[in-house]
Amino acid sequence: GAVVSQHPSWVICKSGTSVKIECRSLDFQATTMFWYRQFPKQSLMLMATSNEGSKATYEQGVEKDKFLINHASLTLSTLTVTSAHPEDSSFYICSAPKGTQYFGPGTRLLVL
Amino acid sequence: EDQVTQSPEALRLQEGESSSLNCSYTVSGLRGLFWYRQDPGKGPEFLFTLYSAGEEKEKERLKATLTKKESFLHITAPKPEDSATYLCAVHPIQGAQKLVFGQGTRLTINP
């Protein structure tokens, strides 16, 4: 298998602040990573594809100015939720491909 | 449009009671079909990849099979620790490496 980590595992913030979530591939390099969002008892919803060395590709309906993605290196992608609001509260999960897709443990965001 | 439908939405079994989960899919072309297990509050854990009709893979009490239209995840003599949500996803030929997920089946195994 392959290992993907996320940090932090959970975060609570006030409305209007920005939150950064890191996704790292620990034992392999990934030119592409994926960011998902998951609401309770629902499946994963792909938000965007993070590309090393180029701009991220966002899925339809996802605000690129609100969810900033930076693929800083071949092992690190970050998702920044800007000016977070309570409706942004969710479980955010990243994945990276190494033959198959391997997922991180997720980050639970609660915006008060 | 590529679609994945899982059934049932939820399944409750007694320990030792074997059953199957279904994943039906429609894609323009299939690069691979994946099964994942997800525990509450955690990311999906990879179980199997299937590439072509007729292929089967096994891991402990789980066996995954694939036809041209659907995949089954068979659970034999399950234990309470098998309780989780099982997710099916397809990797279409078109769409780079993006996966299309089903809604999942929440499996509960009662002791």
Side-chain angles (χ1 to χ4, degrees), chain B residues 19-21 35 48 50 55-66 71-76:
Chain B
S19 188
S20 297
L21 312 183
W35 282 97
F48 303 109
L50 301 167
E55 190 175 359
E56 298 184 354
K57 288 194 177 172
E58 285 189 68
K59 180 180 178 180
E60 297 180 353
R61 295 177 291 282
L62 301 176
K63 183 169 83 172
T65 62
L66 180 66
S71 175
F72 291 93
L73 184 65
H74 306 279
I75 302 177
T76 302

Side-chain angles (χ1 to χ4, degrees), chain A residues 31-32 34 36 38 41-44 46 49 59 91 93 97 99-106 108, chain B residues 6 34 36 38 40-46 48-49 51 87 96-99 101-104 106:
Chain A
T31 57
T32 301
F34 299 92
Y36 295 83
Q38 187 176 36
K41 295 190 176 182
Q42 292 188 25
S43 192
L44 283 71
L46 180 65
T49 303
E59 296 300 301
F91 191 51
I93 311 173
T100 190
Q101 290 276 349
Y102 291 92
F103 287 83
R108 185 161 303 283
Chain B
Q6 290 186 248
F34 302 86
Y36 290 88
Q38 186 177 25
K42 297 187 177 181
E45 174 190 345
F46 171 72
F48 303 109
T49 308
Y51 294 103
L87 297 168
Q97 294 170 309
K98 294 196 292 187
L99 299 182
F101 277 89
Q103 289 301 104
R106 293 191 306 279

Side-chain angles (χ1 to χ4, degrees), chain B residues 13-29:
Chain B
L13 300 172
Q14 289 299 120
E15 183 174 2
E17 181 184 359
S18 301
S19 188
S20 297
L21 312 183
N22 177 262
C23 171
S24 298
Y25 64 91
T26 54
V27 290
S28 52

Side-chain angles (χ1 to χ4, degrees), chain A residues 2-112:
Chain A
V3 181
V4 177
S5 70
Q6 281 184 243
H7 177 80
S9 56
W10 59 270
V11 57
I12 302 174
C13 69
K14 293 182 179 180
S15 186
T17 61
S18 294
V19 174
K20 180 185 284 187
I21 302 170
E22 293 185 349
C23 176
R24 294 181 185 273
S25 55
L26 297 185
D27 53 354
F28 65 103
Q29 294 182 333
T31 57
T32 301
M33 292 183 178
F34 299 92
W35 287 97
Y36 295 83
R37 183 173 182 176
Q38 187 176 36
F39 292 104
K41 295 190 176 182
Q42 292 188 25
S43 192
L44 283 71
M45 183 192 79
L46 180 65
M47 299 175 64
T49 303
S50 175
N51 303 298
E52 192 271 338
S54 64
K55 292 183 179 180
T57 306
Y58 291 82
E59 296 300 301
Q60 192 171 11
V62 177
E63 300 175 59
K64 61 179 68 175
D65 294 331
K66 181 165 187 61
F67 298 99
L68 300 180
I69 291 173
N70 181 32
H71 203 124
S73 73
L74 287 173
T75 60
L76 173 64
S77 173
T78 60
L79 169 68
T80 301
V81 184
T82 62
S83 187
H85 289 98
E87 57 265 31
D88 298 322
S89 298
S90 190
F91 191 51
Y92 293 86
I93 311 173
C94 70
S95 74
K98 184 186 178 187
T100 190
Q101 290 276 349
Y102 291 92
F103 287 83
T107 297
R108 185 161 303 283
L109 170 64
L110 177 60
V111 184
L112 302 177

